[in-house]
Structures are given as C-alpha cells and as structure tokens.
Amino acid sequence: SQQGEEDPQALSIQEGENATMNCSYKTSINNLQWYRQNSGRGLVHLILIRSNEREKHSGRLRVTLDTSKKSSSLLITASRAADTASYFCATDDRAGNMLTFGGGTRLMVKP
Amino acid sequence: NAGVTQTPKFQVLKTGQSMTLQCAQDMNHNSMYWYRQDPGMGLRLIYYSASEGTTDKGEVPNGYNVSRLNKREFSLRLESAAPSQTSVYFCASSEGVGQGSDEQFFGPGTRLTVL
C-alpha cells in the first residue's frame, strides 16, 4: 500500500501560473521528500523536509509540512513549460530504512 | 561521475525466461534499492541493501532475488518471468547506511516486457 497519496492526480496550467500539489500520508514520519520524473526518465530529488520543519524553499519551489494533518504541499511558482513532469512525494518508515512513494501528480505547463 | 547506471535499457522476455538487471553506482553510497513502476503509478520497493553484504525485502519481493555484489553493484534477478512483471525497473542509491530517508539518486530505468 502507498503511504503517500498526491492530489490532484493531474494538473494543467499556463506558463507563468503557480502549481500546487498536495500529499497526504498515514503514519508518523522522520521526513518527507518530493521528486520529479520527466517522461521516460528516472526520478530526480527536489527537496527534503524534516518532521520538525514547517516550510522549506528551494528556488521556485516551496514545500510545507503539517504533521498534525499528515499532509504536505509543493508549490511551484512562475511555472515554465520545462516544469512539465510527474511529481511524487515520498515518506520514510520510522526506522528510516526505506521510502514509500505516492502515485504522483502529472503536471502539464502549457506555453 | 556517471551516477547510477542500469543495463539493459530495454528487454523483452517470454514467460518463464530468466534474466538479471544490473545496477552500478560510482558515488560510494552505502545503500541501494530496486523499485518497479507500473504505468501511471508510483514506485514500489522490491528489495533494498542497507550496506554491502546485506539485503532486505521491500513491499513487493515475490518473484525476485537480489545480490549486492560489492559496494558499487546491486543486481536484480527474475528467475521465471511472468507477464505481471512487465514494468519499468529503477535502481537507486543513497549515502548513509540503512538511511532510506536520505535523498535517493536514481538510474534511468530498465523497461521490461514479459510476453
């Protein structure tokens, strides 16, 4: 079973708009990560947020974490056509040995 | 540095055939992982190796075996392929020992079709 579930499953926006994706999970975590996957490629790590952090920024990316609601959001500001990809959240098990990935959000940014 | 490399890129098998997927990393990472990704889905962990000489089952280990040949290499073997194993297989690595919660680095994937 998947620990993290992304919402929405698919998102289509115009270039320049902001894109927000959400992730919900079920059990306690040490940290939560976001990855991007371009079509036909492997996953690329975007950002890691620890359970004691509430917000983190990296360039045009902003991630929030609400451990009381067991949810996280990824915001991409001023989106570009090159941001078109699938985005996955991943949570660790309490032992920290492995990650469990959600089903992903497919983002399309139209030029 | 090449990062994580996987061979082959594509493979077609008949039901019952066997094959080994190869993975190597040149980042001196301790932990390595094998995932499968079915169409439109997230990744599911098959096996992982928290350090050289150790392997453990993930979420979907049935039908697979793994070998951590050395610190660099982690192979995945299908002994008797089944159509349900048609998928894209990704290898990944992370720096720490048994630290799956670290950032993971992924290979480009092997697209496997079992007829």
Side-chain angles (χ1 to χ4, degrees), chain B residues 3-4 33 43 69 81 83 94 107:
Chain B
V4 180
Y33 314 85
L43 277 67
L69 304 170
S94 63

Coordinates of all heavy atoms in Angstrom, one line a residue, chain B residues 3-4 33 43 69 81 83 94 107:
Chain B
G3 N 27.0 8.5 -11.9 CA 25.9 8.4 -11.0 C 25.5 7.0 -10.9 O 26.3 6.1 -10.6
V4 N 24.2 6.7 -11.2 CA 23.6 5.4 -11.1 C 23.4 4.9 -12.6 O 22.7 5.6 -13.3 CB 22.3 5.3 -10.3 CG1 21.8 3.9 -10.3 CG2 22.5 5.8 -8.9
Y33 N 18.8 0.3 -3.8 CA 17.4 -0.1 -3.9 C 17.0 -0.5 -5.3 O 17.5 0.0 -6.3 CB 16.5 1.1 -3.5 CG 17.0 1.9 -2.3 CD1 18.0 2.9 -2.4 CD2 16.5 1.6 -1.0 CE1 18.4 3.5 -1.2 CE2 17.0 2.2 0.1 CZ 17.9 3.2 0.0 OH 18.4 3.9 1.1
L43 N 6.4 4.5 -7.4 CA 7.3 3.4 -7.3 C 7.0 2.5 -6.2 O 6.6 3.0 -5.1 CB 8.7 4.0 -7.2 CG 9.5 4.4 -8.4 CD1 8.8 5.6 -9.0 CD2 10.9 4.8 -8.1
L69 N 26.7 -7.3 -4.9 CA 27.9 -8.0 -5.4 C 29.1 -7.3 -4.7 O 30.1 -8.0 -4.3 CB 28.0 -7.8 -6.9 CG 26.8 -8.4 -7.7 CD1 26.9 -8.0 -9.1 CD2 26.8 -9.9 -7.5
A81 N 10.2 -15.4 -15.4 CA 9.5 -14.1 -15.7 C 8.0 -14.4 -15.9 O 7.6 -15.4 -16.6 CB 10.1 -13.4 -16.8
P83 N 4.1 -12.3 -17.0 CA 3.6 -11.1 -17.5 C 3.3 -10.0 -16.5 O 3.4 -8.8 -16.8 CB 2.3 -11.6 -18.2 CG 2.5 -13.0 -18.6 CD 3.4 -13.5 -17.5
S94 N 21.6 5.7 -2.0 CA 21.7 6.8 -1.0 C 22.9 6.6 -0.2 O 23.5 5.5 0.0 CB 20.4 6.9 -0.2 OG 20.3 5.7 0.6
G107 N 18.7 5.7 -11.2 CA 19.2 5.4 -12.5 C 18.1 5.7 -13.6 O 17.0 6.0 -13.2

